[in-house]
Amino acid sequence: MAEAASVSVATASKALNGTGRLSAKTRRIVQTAAKELGYRKTAADSDGYANPTAAGAAARPGASGANRAAAARQTQRSGLVGLITSDYNGRFSLPLLMGAENTLGASNHAALLMSSHGRAALERSHIDQLAAHGVDGLIVVGDTSNPRPPLNPNTTMGLPVVYTYDPSTDPDDCSVVCDNIGAGAQAIEYLLSLRRRYIAVIAGPEDFQAAHDRVKGAWRTFTLYDFRPVAVLYDSWSEEWGERAARVLVDRYPHLDAIYALSDEIARGAVRGLLAIGKRVPQDVAVIGHDNWFVFCSNAHPTLTTFDNNITLIGKTAAKYLLDAIRGHPHHGVITVECPMIVRESTEPERRTALNSSDRIFRRNNA
C-alpha cells in the first residue's frame, strides 16, 4: 500500500485512519491507492487494511489508475458530490446549488460547496479536499460563460465531472450552459413585435463569450427580418457604461426607439441616462436587459424586462447528468438551457408592479 502511494508506512496509516497532519493531496493519493488495490478496512485492524477484495475491476492487472479508481468507486459510493465555484459572491453558485440539491436529494446524495475564487491552484487543492472526503463526482461552476480548460486528469483521477455556465473546451466533456444565442434572437424578435424599428445593442466587453453569443443571436433575428441595428457598442458590464452609451445613442440617432442591453447593470444605467435627457421608458425608448438580477430589475420603476439565465435549472440538469456519469453512463458535449424572458415595465408600461415591500409600507403608514 505505502509503496503504491510512494509514501512511508506511517503516512499511509495516518491517511487511511484520518489521523495526523497530512495534506489533503497526500491523504487523497493514499486513499486512491487503497481503492485501486481493492483494500478495505477491518474493525480488527485500525492501523491497516485487510486483504484485497475480489469484487470489482479495481484490482485487475493492466487497468489504468484512473480506470481502477473509477471501478472501485462503483462499489464504494459516499453519496457526496463536490461543487467548486469561481463565483465569489454567490450570484451564480447559490441558485445552481439549490437546483443541484433538488436532484441530488432525490437520489440520496448531498453537495459540498467550495469556492476557488477563480484560482487554478486553489481549485486543485479543493478537489483534493473533496476527494479525500470521498465525493462521487464534481460539478464545476463558472461565472463568465467563457470556455475554460478542462481539469487535468491527474487532478480528477477518474472522478466524473460536469461543467456549468463556463463550458469545457474539451468536446468530450459534459457542459451545461444557458442559451445566450437564443436569448439574443428572442430579444430582437420581441422588440420588432412591439413595432420598434430603430434598435441599438449595448454590450459588455467584446472578449466575453456571453456578449459574443447574445450579439450573434441578435444579428440572427435582424438578418431574418431584413433589419440592421442602428449600432452595436461594446465596453464594460456597468451602469456607468449603460448610462453613457444611452446618451451617445440618442445624440447620434434621434429616432432610437429600443435598446437591447446585454446585462441588467447596463440596462439600468441606460434607463437612467434616457430619463435624465427627457426620454420616457418605454414610451419613447424600450429597454431590455439580461440576467434577471433583482437588485437591478425590480427595485425601481420602471422595472426591467430581462432574461433569466435559468441557473437553478442548469443546476438540476448538471446534477442529473453527473448522477448518470457516476452510474457509468456519461454525457458528452455542450447542453444549452433556455433563458426565459421576463416582461416588465421597461418594454410594456401596463406591466407596472409594486416594488419590494412598498405595499406593506403603504399599509402601515395608512393604518
Side-chain angles (χ1 to χ4, degrees):
M1 165 74 65
E3 182 179 355
S6 299
V7 297
S8 67
V9 173
T11 297
S13 177
K14 291 175 182 178
L16 296 173
N17 288 286
T19 60
R21 303 180 68 177
L22 303 179
S23 70
K25 183 174 183 179
T26 299
R27 200 177 300 278
R28 180 188 181 191
I29 289 172
V30 174
Q31 291 173 350
T32 301
K35 290 179 181 180
E36 290 177 359
L37 294 173
Y39 280 81
R40 59 181 176 82
K41 193 173 182 180
T42 65
D45 187 1
S46 63
D47 294 322
Y49 273 61
N51 291 329
T53 64
R60 284 205 306 265
S64 70
N67 288 340
R68 291 197 303 270
R73 274 192 296 273
Q74 291 296 319
T75 57
Q76 300 182 33
R77 295 175 187 159
S78 66
L80 296 174
V81 167
L83 272 79
I84 301 178
T85 177
S86 56
D87 172 24
Y88 64 90
N89 62 14
R91 177 179 163 194
F92 298 95
S93 58
L94 293 183
L96 194 142
L97 174 63
M98 290 174 59
E101 284 184 327
N102 287 339
T103 299
L104 295 171
S107 298
N108 296 316
H109 278 72
L112 300 174
L113 176 65
M114 287 186 164
S115 175
S116 68
H117 304 287
R119 291 155 47 194
L122 186 56
E123 184 177 70
R124 291 193 297 271
S125 175
H126 284 341
I127 292 173
D128 287 331
Q129 292 275 3
L130 291 167
H133 282 80
V135 295
D136 298 328
L138 300 170
I139 297 175
V140 180
V141 186
D143 64 351
T144 68
S145 79
N146 289 352
R148 57 154 293 159
L151 295 172
N152 192 305
N154 292 332
T155 300
T156 58
M157 296 174 69
L159 280 173
V161 181
V162 174
Y163 299 86
T164 62
Y165 208 76
D166 297 359
S168 168
T169 53
D170 186 346
D172 196 48
D173 288 332
C174 178
S175 302
V176 184
V177 303
C178 56
D179 185 5
N180 283 309
I181 295 176
Q186 187 180 353
I188 304 307
E189 185 160 2
Y190 169 64
L191 289 173
L192 291 174
S193 75
L194 296 177
R195 300 185 181 279
R196 308 291 172 150
R197 296 296 181 263
Y198 300 94
I199 304 170
V201 179
I202 307 178
E206 197 166 3
D207 58 351
F208 265 68
Q209 191 66 38
H212 174 79
D213 286 346
R214 291 168 196 170
V215 169
K216 181 178 180 180
W219 270 108
R220 178 178 294 176
T221 300
F222 279 125
T223 302
L224 179 65
Y225 290 97
D226 198 24
F227 275 87
R228 293 182 62 85
V230 297
V232 178
L233 305 178
Y234 293 90
D235 199 300
S236 63
W237 304 113
S238 71
E239 283 192 78
E240 186 276 333
W241 161 236
E243 181 174 0
R244 179 160 47 91
R247 290 172 177 267
V248 168
L249 287 167
V250 171
D251 184 58
R252 292 181 182 175
Y253 310 102
H255 299 298
L256 179 78
D257 60 12
I259 290 175
Y260 171 37
L262 302 196
S263 78
D264 291 336
E265 298 101 312
I266 294 173
R268 177 56 65 200
V271 168
R272 188 170 64 235
L274 292 168
L275 296 177
I277 58 177
K279 292 289 186 179
R280 299 172 303 165
V281 178
Q283 291 85 349
D284 298 324
V285 182
V287 177
I288 297 180
H290 191 114
D291 290 332
N292 197 29
W293 196 1
F294 78 95
V295 172
F296 297 97
C297 292
S298 56
N299 280 339
H301 289 302
T303 53
L304 279 179
T305 293
T306 186
F307 286 88
D308 192 300
N309 287 318
N310 226 344
I311 298 174
T312 300
L313 182 56
I314 289 176
K316 290 180 180 179
T317 305
K320 176 184 180 300
Y321 288 165
L322 182 62
L323 290 173
D324 287 346
I326 291 169
R327 294 164 183 150
H329 305 287
H331 298 259
H332 308 282
V334 177
I335 296 93
T336 58
V337 172
E338 181 185 3
C339 300
M341 184 170 64
I342 314 298
V343 178
R344 298 192 179 99
E345 300 164 5
S346 66
T347 56
E348 298 185 23
E350 65 274 13
R351 297 279 185 149
R352 191 169 183 84
T353 54
L355 302 182
N356 290 344
S357 300
S358 63
D359 187 48
R360 290 194 297 272
I361 293 171
F362 178 82
R363 288 200 304 269
R364 185 174 68 242
N365 290 341
N366 288 273

